[in-house]
Amino acid sequence: MTMPSVFQEWIFETTMQQQSVLVLACRGPDGIRKYHPTKKIVARYRASVLKAAYLGRAMKSGEGDATTFMTLEGFDNDAAWHGLCNMFFNGIDALPHHFVLHLAHGAEIVGYKHPDPHFRRRWHEFYRRCCDDFHMSHETEHQMDRRLSDWDRAHWGEAS
């Protein structure tokens, strides 16, 4: 019998390093007020990589409510999504740099690896906007795959 998992199935097609990044980005920033705009983005990020326990499945775009933990409310609406992103980037200076980088890298993976093109497009746009905000170049999918490739995985079973 297979045990249920909170992770969406597509995640198991990624490398362990990519899975680690996806999980780390699920955590919200410490020390930020409860209703900071970043929480609305993180709630949608979580719903893009985790299954909703109360549903026993991944949420669909647009599904959910105003919860601060996990929702896809407004994710299916361009104006609503861009409004949430604008609020996030307008408040980015209040966020720990380390947190923003975790979220940007998680968004990068979702933007390249999620099976649904709508989710890929939303998160790839978010990742590119993070890069623009940091004045840094974005990675291609190939560059990301090389960087997060589980290094010498081909040799994992060998004696040291």
Side-chain angles (χ1 to χ4, degrees):
M1 177 179 183
T2 304
M3 295 298 294
S5 174
V6 297
F7 302 109
Q8 294 181 17
E9 284 76 15
W10 67 268
I11 292 175
F12 300 109
E13 303 294 320
T14 65
T15 66
M16 289 178 70
Q17 285 183 291
Q18 289 175 6
Q19 291 174 36
S20 296
V21 172
L22 289 166
V23 170
L24 288 171
C26 285
R27 184 164 183 218
D30 293 332
I32 300 300
R33 71 182 194 278
K34 183 171 182 164
Y35 297 105
H36 189 278
T38 191
K39 304 225 174 165
K40 293 180 182 283
I41 295 294
V42 174
R44 283 144 185 88
Y45 173 83
R46 288 182 189 126
S48 298
V49 299
L50 302 175
K51 293 177 189 172
Y54 75 97
L55 296 171
R57 62 169 171 78
M59 297 179 92
K60 297 175 180 129
S61 186
E63 188 173 28
D65 53 29
T67 181
T68 59
F69 182 74
M70 184 188 306
T71 186
L72 285 172
E73 181 183 48
F75 196 74
D76 58 339
N77 179 292
D78 287 340
W81 173 249
H82 294 300
L84 291 173
C85 289
N86 287 339
M87 287 190 311
F88 174 87
F89 286 100
N90 287 340
I92 201 168
D93 290 341
L95 300 173
H97 180 257
H98 187 83
F99 160 77
V100 177
L101 283 179
H102 277 302
L103 184 60
H105 285 122
E108 176 185 17
I109 295 167
V110 179
Y112 285 131
K113 303 296 184 181
H114 198 284
D116 185 312
H118 173 67
F119 281 77
R120 284 196 311 269
R121 186 178 79 250
R122 287 278 192 245
W123 290 112
H124 188 73
E125 289 171 358
F126 183 84
Y127 164 67
R128 294 288 297 258
R129 192 158 173 193
C130 286
C131 291
D132 291 346
D133 194 74
F134 283 125
H135 306 287
M136 63 184 195
S137 299
H138 71 281
E139 287 181 305
T140 65
E141 184 174 7
H142 177 72
Q143 289 169 323
M144 180 194 74
D145 285 342
R146 282 190 58 208
R147 179 173 56 85
L148 299 172
S149 66
D150 291 346
W151 299 295
D152 59 352
R153 187 177 192 172
H155 306 286
W156 279 5
E158 297 175 6
S160 300

